Amino acid sequence: MRPGNLLRYDQTLFRDPEVFEFTFVPELLHHRDAQVRELACLLRPALRGAGPGSAVLRGPPGTGKTTTVRRLFADIEDATKKLVPVYVNCQYDRTPLAVYRCIFERLSGYAPPSTGRHLDDLKRGIAVRLRNEDAGLVVCLDDANYLAAAGRLNTLLYQILRLYEKWDVRKAGVLAVSSDLTLNLAAEVDERVRSVFHPTEVNFLPYTKAEVREILAERIRQGLYPGVMPPPLLDRIAGIAAEERDIRVGIDLVRLAVLRAEEDGRRRVDPVDVTGAVRAIVAPVLRTRAAGLSEGERALACRIAERSREGADMTSGAVFEAAKEYLPVGKTTYHEHLKRLAEAGIVDLVPGTGRGREREVVLRYDPDEVAAVCARPDRSG
Ligand SMILES: Nc1ncnc2c1ncn2[C@@H]1O[C@H](COP(=O)(O)OP(=O)(O)OP(=O)(O)O)[C@@H](O)[C@H]1O
Ligand SMILES: [Mg+2]
């Protein structure tokens, strides 16, 4: 490295570090057109003086549920006063009082006094404002699975959706968001809620590698100076994040890799920065997954990593033929090992188009990482 390339202590590779914060709401939302369209369609009646519809938004963590709602709500705020969107994070605001305080604050522009506010006073205050503005209300209950867990989902939905009965306002809409796929929010509600809550289900699937790449590329354009992140390294990061099925992993990998380059006084991210960032983020997860594996299973994982790195044939039969030259395993044991690796979340076994049991063995992690973790089980750093 030439001294001229060294960054001065006050120089940074980040044009805008905030872009890599998880709370950042991007201007451009890629690959969520279908969901945005569906939600906009539900809310549109509110612009014509009717009540907005309701929805349940479902998808695993890091699939853009919160961001989609935030973006949509920001657009509604810019476009109209006929519909007031209120975002509530139920991880923090779980009681009816807390939720109504959020709605009140959004409508009036100031927080209600912290004491002496009865729930009914808050509701009246909200209703008066909605009536004065002739506006509809849509409330997003983000991470509503916390409400369900706290046993408060029914009460809250009931109160919000039936606000109109007592206070002579339009029926409100609710967007209930959940990342707990074992929980069916629409089925959790009891009968009195069900009669007013007919949510459309809007699903959020994990992003594909190409989608992750595009989303990260946009972040990089905004957040870094040109040329800091070489495209092949972005590719590698996108692959890892797609395998992890969580775009947050990708955003964090970019941020950490750039920080490493910055600390080292370079203007460009190197492969070693990405490897370091992967170690810091992904390796702990991988180590936990590998912890319960037997020696034979680890050895097989290493062979799979090697073949995957070489770009060799990854059908389960071909992997077996290659592995048996190195490992003392028969076909039955081999298939048991493979099944264990899949259960541990280290490989996916993808059914092929061929005969019978033949599967494509797809590594879920960077081969170098798998080899490093599985070859040295006691490695702690
Ligand atoms: N389509 C997208 N375009 C740009 N950025 C996105 C997109 N989807 C997600 N992100 C970014 O990924 C991160 C995670 O997204 P988000 O918080 O919306 O996920 P989520 O589905 O709400 O996850 P959780 O269930 O854990 O709350 C955020 O930093 C967000 O900005
Ligand atoms: Mg979220």
Side-chain angles (χ1 to χ4, degrees):
M1 188 188 340
R2 291 202 314 275
N5 280 345
L6 279 174
L7 286 173
R8 290 210 329 266
Y9 69 94
D10 60 343
Q11 282 180 322
T12 173
L13 301 176
F14 291 96
R15 200 204 309 254
D16 180 1
E18 251 180 60
V19 164
F20 297 96
E21 297 291 327
F22 289 146
T23 48
F24 176 78
V25 181
E27 274 303 310
L28 268 175
L29 193 64
H30 286 293
H31 308 296
R32 287 299 177 232
D33 293 354
Q35 288 82 352
V36 169
R37 217 174 301 127
E38 212 165 344
L39 292 170
C41 195
L42 274 173
L43 302 183
R44 200 161 296 133
L47 307 183
R48 299 190 293 266
S54 290
V56 167
L57 284 67
R58 291 179 88 198
T63 49
K65 302 179 296 296
T66 299
T67 308
T68 299
V69 170
R70 288 270 198 203
R71 191 61 262 159
L72 183 68
F73 278 15
D75 291 345
I76 292 172
E77 278 170 11
D78 286 347
T80 179
K81 297 246 178 292
K82 289 252 162 246
L83 179 63
V84 180
V86 181
Y87 173 87
V88 180
N89 186 332
C90 300
Q91 277 191 63
Y92 305 108
D93 296 308
R94 294 187 201 189
T95 64
L97 192 63
V99 171
Y100 275 103
R101 288 176 68 87
C102 286
I103 302 174
F104 181 94
E105 183 167 352
R106 168 66 184 78
L107 276 166
S108 58
Y110 60 89
S114 55
T115 53
R117 272 288 191 182
H118 191 262
L119 198 58
D120 258 1
D121 291 339
L122 284 176
K123 287 188 194 167
R124 187 179 303 113
I126 290 166
V128 166
R129 280 184 173 76
L130 288 175
R131 257 202 320 261
N132 288 349
E133 309 280 330
D134 187 24
L137 174 69
V138 57
V139 180
C140 168
L141 299 175
D142 199 359
D143 297 315
N145 38 302
Y146 286 87
L147 288 177
R152 299 214 173 96
L153 183 67
N154 274 299
T155 314
L156 246 168
L157 284 177
Y158 186 79
Q159 290 188 352
I160 295 175
L161 292 166
R162 300 207 140 185
L163 191 68
Y164 71 98
E165 289 180 338
K166 182 165 175 194
W167 302 104
D168 186 30
V169 288
R170 269 181 249 151
K171 185 165 170 284
V174 171
L175 307 183
V177 183
S178 166
S179 59
D180 180 353
L181 296 183
T182 62
L183 181 75
N184 183 352
L185 280 179
E188 284 289 306
V189 301
D190 61 29
E191 234 152 72
R192 29 178 222 142
V193 175
R194 204 165 299 141
S195 73
V196 280
F197 187 52
H198 309 128
T200 299
E201 189 163 304
V202 182
N203 286 303
F204 290 71
L205 296 178
Y207 295 112
T208 64
K209 179 181 169 184
E211 290 171 345
V212 170
R213 194 187 192 289
E214 209 174 314
I215 291 168
L216 293 180
E218 181 65 37
R219 264 324 135 94
I220 286 168
R221 249 193 307 281
Q222 268 183 280
L224 302 180
Y225 287 106
V228 170
M229 179 63 75
L233 293 184
L234 169 59
D235 244 8
R236 190 173 151 202
I237 290 176
I240 295 168
E243 277 159 19
E244 286 292 306
R245 300 192 175 92
D246 189 343
I247 191 156
R248 286 197 187 93
V249 169
I251 295 174
D252 229 24
L253 282 175
V254 171
R255 188 181 59 84
L256 268 187
V258 174
L259 274 178
R260 279 172 180 263
E262 200 175 86
E263 274 162 24
D264 207 30
R266 283 176 280 107
R267 289 176 189 281
R268 252 171 99 87
V269 173
D270 270 359
V272 289
D273 301 320
V274 177
T275 306
V278 170
R279 291 242 153 86
I281 295 175
V282 179
V285 180
L286 187 53
R287 265 201 297 278
T288 313
R289 294 191 167 176
L293 298 178
S294 70
E295 212 169 300
E297 288 153 3
R298 283 168 187 278
L300 179 60
C302 286
R303 294 301 308 158
I304 291 172
E306 241 165 79
R307 281 184 75 77
S308 156
R309 196 165 31 202
E310 289 161 2
D313 182 355
M314 294 306 285
T315 50
S316 53
V319 173
F320 173 67
E321 290 305 320
K324 76 176 184 195
E325 288 179 25
Y326 297 83
L327 311 172
V329 290
K331 204 155 196 163
T332 310
T333 314
Y334 164 74
H335 279 289
E336 278 167 14
H337 283 1
L338 209 51
K339 194 162 153 256
R340 279 282 298 131
L341 292 180
E343 283 164 1
I346 292 175
V347 301
D348 285 323
L349 300 177
V350 184
T353 47
R355 310 145 276 128
R357 292 172 88 178
E358 195 69 330
R359 297 273 188 276
E360 176 90 11
V361 183
V362 182
L363 215 50
R364 287 195 54 193
Y365 292 88
D366 195 68
D368 292 342
E369 278 308 299
V370 172
V373 167
C374 290
R376 280 173 290 155
D378 53 348
R379 211 178 55 117
S380 55

